[in-house]
Amino acid sequence: MTDDSHALSLSSTPPSPPAVATDGTWLACIECGETFAPFEAIRYTCDGCTGLLEVRYADVPTFADFSGRGVWRYNQALPLDSGVTSQEGDTPLYRVPRLEKSIGVAALRIKHEGMNPTGSFKDRGMTVGVAVARELGVERLACASTGNTSAALAAYGGRGGMETLVLLPAGKVAAGKIAQASLHGARILEVDGNFDTCLDIVQELAARGEVYLLNSLNPFRLEGQKTIGFEILEAFQAEYDAWPDRIVLPVGNAGNTSALYKAFRELVQAGALEPDDVPRLTGVQAEGAAPMVEAVETGASAVERWDEVETRATAIRIGNPVNAPKALPGIRETGGTAIAVSDEAITAAQRDLAEEGIGVEPASAASVAGLRKLREQGVVAADERVACLTTGHLLKDPDAAAAAGRDPEPAPADTDGILELLEDDSGLGQ
Ligand SMILES: *Cc1c(COP(=O)(O)O)cnc(C)c1O
Ligand SMILES: [Zn+2]
C-alpha cells in the first residue's frame, strides 16, 4: 500500500481500506504497509517483516462524534463499540498554581492517570485489550510488567472472566502493584531478570500460542490509551479555547507516547486538528534507563537497547522500549523532545506534587521533573501551556512515598506530652 509509505507522519494521506473484508477497521504494519483483518487471527507483529502493527480505520472521527463518559466515550475511535469496563478514564486535570509559578510556564495542568480504577493509565488500554481478547476467544491472558500492567491485567481479566498470568522482575516491583495483581487473582511469576527479559519470555509464550499478550506491543491496547490525548485536548479547548502547546510524559516502553501521537494523527486526518496545532510530545526518562533520550539526542533512527537499567522509578525501569519505532516519529514530527532526569529530581517533583495535594508514584513525577529541567534549559518557553501526565497513584509504591515524606515521630500517650513535643518543635503551623 503506497499510502502507508509515510504512515507515521502528520501529513500522510488517509489510508485506504485493504481488499480484505474488515468492517472499516484493520491492522497495518508500520514498516512495510501490509494489512490484516483485525480479529481473524492472533498477531502482534507483521507476518512478513515483523514490524509493529497499528489499528487503522476507514473513518476517523472528529470531536463532535464523541459522546458519553470515560474511555468508551471515544468508541468511534476504537476497534470495538464497548469493552470489559470498570469506568476507566475521565481522570482529573488538576491546576497546580504553585508549581506552575515555580516552574514558570503560562499554564500547567496535571492529568492524573493515577485516578483510574486500578490506579494507573494501563486501565485505559486494558479495557480495550481484554475486550479484544474476548472477541478473539482466548482464555489465558499474560503480560510482562514493571507492576501496573499486571495490576490492570489481573483486574480486567478477572472482570472478563479470564485466566491471567504475569511475569515480574523479582525484587523490582512496588508493593501496591503486586498486592493488586495477587488479590485480583493473577498467577504471579517472579523472574530472576529485568523487565526486558520478562517481555522476551512472554513474547515467546505468545508466539507459541500459550497466552494472549497484553503488553503495549498489543496494538489494540494502545487504542484505549489514545483517549488520554482526546481528554486533554477537549479540556484545554473548554478552558482556553486553545490546544495545549506541549504534553510531557514519562516514558517506559513508549506506548503512551505512541498512543498520543496516533490520537493526534487521526484528529489531523479527520480535519479536527491542524498539523501546526499538534502538541509537542515530550518524553522523560530516568537517567539510569534512558535509551529513548539517547536516540533523540543522537538523532539515531532506532533505539539501542540498554542491558543494564536502574532507577527508583520502577515503572519506567526499561531498557528496550518496544514501541520506539512508533514513538520516535511522534516526538520528532511534533517538534517535541526527550530528556533524562535524576532519581533525586524525580523525588523532588514527587514532593512538589504532593504539596499541591496530588499523590503520585515516582515514575509519574518524572514528567514534572523533566518539565522543570527543560524550562531551566530554555527548551520550554515561558508562554507555553503544558499538560504533564502523572501515570500512577502514590499508593502504588508506599515505600517510595514513605521514604520521600516526613518520618513519623514516636509520641507519648497523653495530651501534655504531645503539647511538649509540639513546643519543642519550631512551632505550630510550620
Ligand atoms: C507503564 C507506566 C509507564 C510507562 O508507560 P509507557 O507507555 O510504557 O511508556 C510510566 N509510568 C507508570 C506509572 C506506568 O505504569
Ligand atoms: Zn511488515
Side-chain angles (χ1 to χ4, degrees):
M1 292 191 45
T2 51
D3 280 350
D4 288 314
S5 54
H6 300 289
L8 298 193
S9 108
L10 283 168
S11 53
S12 66
T13 41
S16 42
V20 286
T22 62
D23 282 336
T25 302
W26 64 95
L27 291 169
C29 172
I30 68 161
E31 305 292 347
C32 75
E34 183 68 67
T35 58
F36 307 94
F39 307 126
E40 132 212 298
I42 295 171
R43 56 168 68 77
Y44 311 98
T45 50
C46 178
D47 294 6
C49 79
T50 74
L52 295 176
L53 297 178
E54 182 171 89
V55 183
R56 297 271 169 83
Y57 306 94
D59 297 308
V60 285
T62 67
F63 288 105
D65 297 314
F66 300 141
S67 68
R69 289 183 61 78
V71 164
W72 295 98
R73 163 179 171 75
Y74 305 99
N75 63 1
Q76 298 291 311
L78 299 175
L80 295 169
D81 287 337
S82 60
V84 175
T85 179
S86 293
Q87 296 181 26
E88 51 292 316
D90 264 337
T91 53
L93 188 68
Y94 293 124
R95 288 169 172 274
V96 279
R98 279 169 279 165
L99 207 45
E100 181 180 272
K101 190 153 177 266
S102 81
I103 290 178
V105 286
L108 175 59
R109 292 286 181 277
I110 305 296
K111 182 67 171 168
H112 193 10
E113 286 297 300
M115 301 299 278
N116 274 296
T118 77
S120 86
F121 71 84
K122 301 297 196 305
D123 295 349
R124 293 185 189 260
M126 222 44 95
T127 185
V128 177
V130 171
V132 169
R134 199 170 55 180
E135 184 82 17
L136 289 164
V138 301
E139 273 160 27
R140 192 198 279 159
L141 313 178
C143 69
S145 179
T146 57
N148 284 328
T149 303
S150 69
L153 179 78
Y156 282 79
R159 221 162 157 69
M162 283 171 258
E163 200 186 318
T164 52
L165 172 71
V166 304
L167 270 70
L168 307 176
K172 296 295 181 183
V173 177
K177 306 175 188 183
I178 299 184
Q180 287 178 291
S182 162
L183 187 60
H184 286 302
R187 179 145 184 212
I188 304 172
L189 304 181
E190 290 191 322
V191 175
D192 181 20
N194 62 24
F195 166 83
D196 304 293
T197 307
C198 293
L199 184 56
D200 290 343
I201 297 169
V202 179
Q203 271 186 260
E204 188 63 33
L205 291 173
R208 295 190 194 181
E210 295 291 331
V211 300
Y212 183 66
L213 179 80
L214 274 166
N215 281 97
S216 56
L217 191 65
N218 185 311
F220 298 109
R221 234 193 70 187
L222 295 186
E223 292 303 288
Q225 291 171 210
K226 287 191 308 192
T227 61
I228 301 172
F230 296 145
E231 285 182 17
I232 292 174
L233 293 194
E234 287 187 319
F236 270 73
Q237 276 295 307
E239 185 169 351
Y240 299 111
D241 201 19
W243 309 109
D245 298 302
R246 186 182 298 272
I247 296 180
V248 187
L249 73 165
V251 173
N253 269 311
N256 256 345
T257 316
S258 311
L260 288 170
Y261 183 46
K262 188 164 190 285
F264 302 151
R265 272 188 289 134
E266 289 177 0
L267 289 170
V268 167
Q269 211 185 93
L273 183 66
E274 292 299 321
D276 286 348
D277 289 335
V278 170
R280 297 171 190 275
L281 279 173
T282 302
V284 186
Q285 295 193 300
E287 280 173 353
M292 280 280 290
V293 175
E294 183 180 75
V296 168
E297 282 177 355
T298 61
S301 60
V303 167
E304 230 166 279
R305 179 178 182 142
W306 286 21
D307 287 325
E308 301 293 328
V309 282
E310 199 50 88
T311 168
R312 68 174 69 130
T314 51
I316 51 173
R317 188 175 170 275
I318 291 172
N320 185 30
V322 292
N323 289 297
K326 292 178 172 177
L328 272 178
I331 288 174
R332 291 184 174 138
E333 281 260 327
T334 61
T337 187
I339 191 166
V341 293
S342 68
D343 277 8
E344 291 69 33
I346 286 173
T347 298
Q350 192 185 15
R351 287 196 191 102
D352 288 343
L353 283 161
E355 274 173 21
E356 298 244 29
I358 301 171
V360 308
E361 66 166 288
S364 305
S367 59
V368 170
L371 175 65
R372 189 186 287 284
K373 190 167 173 183
L374 287 168
R375 181 70 194 93
E376 282 165 4
Q377 293 177 350
V379 175
V380 172
D383 63 356
E384 287 193 36
R385 293 193 186 106
V386 183
C388 279
L389 230 64
T390 54
T391 40
H393 198 277
L394 177 153
L395 292 173
K396 290 284 193 172
D397 193 343
D399 299 325
R406 270 189 170 203
D407 288 335
E409 303 160 49
D414 65 274
T415 309
D416 287 340
I418 299 273
L419 281 172
E420 232 165 82
L421 249 184
L422 293 176
E423 273 161 26
D424 286 351
D425 208 21
S426 40
L428 287 174
Q430 291 297 298

